[in-house]
């Protein structure tokens, strides 16, 4: 498997404008999962990583530019995640390449990404932007961001998670205050997180402080959401749990991981 030091992250890169699948870079998911205590032989979740590519362009057979939005779904149980800068460089490489039609584009991207991820990846292409017509100001659910708490832990601290084991609830809690940093470059990543669960009532002040404790943490988007899922499942012991992350876009691309042990209907809602 590729060493992370060999990825294009944090480096000056040549931008190719002719189709080049060799730009894609795989990162094995197992290492981070083992580090945080996830059993890689029996994953405690299902889910997907939803990627939206907003700056995708190519040339049709008449050499006329086409433009649209790509939605890419990578299964959470794929052996590898795809390093984000490598995906940006790969998508940029379509800019001056000629293709017969949209279906050829979709088939090609699905094949390339599935090869790198190690499992079937699905791709949608939308020139009408109808998929993104329903933009929401924030996650639905109960926001915990206005709670009056002292947040002096800025390194991940699972001990902040507390429950009332005598009270069983089913609720949906959300926060816009998730921040972490890129594992390689240290650049900040900003996101929203929604936690839907059934089980012992989670102390909301403790949950907010726990989310804020990611502020100096270095990890990829997918890794952070899996870390949150694992900690809540292990400590709070809900019978049902879903953790959804929606991150702000960078370089025309956003990453939105979802991890769940339920039949959650996963939607690509825009915030």
């Amino acid at each position: 498997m590729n060493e992370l030091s060999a990825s294009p992250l944090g480096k000056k890169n040549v931008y190719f404008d002719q189709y080049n699948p060799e730009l894609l870079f795989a990162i094995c998911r197992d290492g981070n999962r083992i580090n945080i205590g996830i059993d890689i032989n029996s994953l405690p979740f299902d889910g997907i990583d939803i990627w939206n590519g907003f700056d995708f362009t190519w040339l049709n057979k008449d050499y006329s530019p086409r433009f649209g939005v790509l939605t890419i779904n990578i299964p959470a149980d794929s052996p590898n995640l795809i390093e984000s800068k490598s995906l940006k460089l790969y998508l940029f490489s379509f800019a001056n390449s000629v293709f017969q039609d949209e279906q050829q584009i979709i088939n090609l991207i699905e094949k390339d990404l599935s090869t790198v991820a190690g499992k079937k990846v699905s791709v949608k292409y939308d020139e009408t932007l109808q998929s993104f017509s329903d933009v929401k100001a924030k996650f639905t659910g109960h926001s915990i961001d206005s709670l009056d708490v002292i947040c002096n832990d800025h390194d991940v601290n699972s001990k902040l998670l507390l429950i009332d084991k005598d009270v069983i609830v089913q609720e949906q809690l959300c926060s816009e205050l998730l921040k972490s940093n890129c594992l390689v470059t240290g650049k900040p990543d900003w996101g929203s997180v929604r936690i839907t669960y059934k089980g012992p009532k989670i102390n909301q002040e403790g949950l907010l402080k726990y989310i804020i404790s990611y502020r100096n943490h270095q990890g990829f988007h997918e890794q952070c959401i899996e870390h949150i899922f694992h900690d809540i499942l292990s400590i709070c012991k809900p019978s049902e749990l879903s953790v959804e992350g929606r991150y702000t876009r960078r370089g025309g691309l956003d990453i939105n991981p979802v991890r769940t042990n339920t039949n959650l209907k996963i939607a690509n809602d825009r915030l």
Side-chain angles (χ1 to χ4, degrees):
M1 181 49 57
N2 294 329
E3 292 291 334
L4 188 54
S5 60
S7 81
L9 270 173
K11 299 172 184 173
K12 186 175 181 179
N13 299 103
V14 176
Y15 286 81
F16 294 85
D17 61 1
Q18 294 290 330
Y19 168 68
N20 186 354
E22 294 182 4
L23 294 167
L24 291 167
F25 188 91
I27 298 174
C28 181
R29 296 186 190 266
D30 285 354
N32 180 75
R33 289 172 173 172
I34 291 171
N35 287 341
I36 64 177
I38 292 176
D39 182 355
I40 61 173
N41 296 311
S42 181
L43 293 178
F45 49 67
D46 248 336
I48 57 175
D49 302 326
I50 304 172
W51 300 62
N52 294 304
F54 293 91
D55 299 331
F56 183 70
T57 184
W58 53 286
L59 301 178
N60 67 14
K61 58 187 177 181
D62 298 320
Y63 294 86
S64 177
R66 301 284 295 273
F67 173 83
V69 176
L70 288 172
T71 299
I72 301 165
N73 289 338
I74 303 177
D77 61 350
S78 63
N80 306 317
L81 59 85
I82 300 174
E83 191 279 306
S84 61
K85 187 173 181 181
S86 80
L87 181 56
K88 293 170 192 172
L89 293 171
Y90 165 75
L91 296 179
F92 292 161
S93 79
F94 283 75
N96 284 337
S97 298
V98 178
F99 300 94
Q100 290 297 309
D101 52 32
E102 297 174 12
Q103 193 59 51
Q104 184 187 12
I105 292 278
I106 292 171
N107 292 344
L108 194 60
I109 296 176
E110 284 187 340
K111 176 180 71 69
D112 291 341
L113 298 189
S114 298
T115 297
V116 176
K119 192 161 186 176
K120 175 65 176 176
V121 172
S122 66
V123 175
K124 293 182 180 179
Y125 176 75
D126 181 10
E127 290 190 354
T128 67
L129 303 187
Q130 289 181 349
S131 302
F132 299 91
S133 59
D134 185 19
V135 177
K136 301 177 181 179
K138 57 181 66 178
F139 267 135
T140 57
H142 176 68
S143 173
I144 59 176
D145 290 346
S146 62
L147 294 173
D148 187 13
V149 297
I150 297 174
C151 303
N152 51 11
D153 264 304
H154 290 162
D155 291 301
V156 178
N157 185 357
S158 61
K159 294 180 180 179
L160 295 167
L161 291 169
L162 304 170
I163 59 168
D164 184 343
K165 62 182 180 180
D166 295 324
V167 180
I168 304 300
V169 300
Q170 186 168 1
E171 61 182 356
Q172 194 170 66
L173 307 175
C174 54
S175 173
E176 313 294 321
L177 300 180
L178 178 61
K179 175 199 171 286
S180 55
N181 302 310
C182 174
L183 184 60
V184 176
T185 66
K187 291 181 179 179
D189 295 316
W190 304 94
S192 304
V193 61
R194 178 165 60 186
I195 296 155
T196 306
Y197 77 98
K198 180 179 180 180
K201 185 174 180 60
I202 298 174
N203 178 275
Q204 294 181 9
E205 288 81 1
L207 178 61
L208 178 59
K209 290 193 286 186
Y210 168 73
I211 291 169
I212 293 173
S213 78
Y214 279 78
R215 194 166 183 83
N216 292 337
H217 178 67
Q218 290 191 298
F220 295 128
H221 301 56
E222 303 95 329
Q223 296 171 345
C224 290
I225 295 303
E226 290 187 359
H227 200 156
I228 293 171
F229 183 99
H230 171 72
D231 282 350
I232 293 176
L233 187 68
S234 300
I235 296 171
C236 303
K237 302 190 183 306
S239 58
E240 298 179 4
L241 176 64
S242 300
V243 179
E244 303 165 78
R246 300 214 68 90
Y247 283 85
T248 55
R249 79 180 75 163
R250 179 180 290 168
L253 194 69
D254 65 25
I255 312 170
N256 308 286
V258 180
R259 300 294 183 266
T260 182
N261 62 7
T262 73
N263 294 321
L264 176 74
K265 183 178 179 181
I266 299 173
N268 188 24
D269 295 328
R270 295 308 314 144
L271 304 184

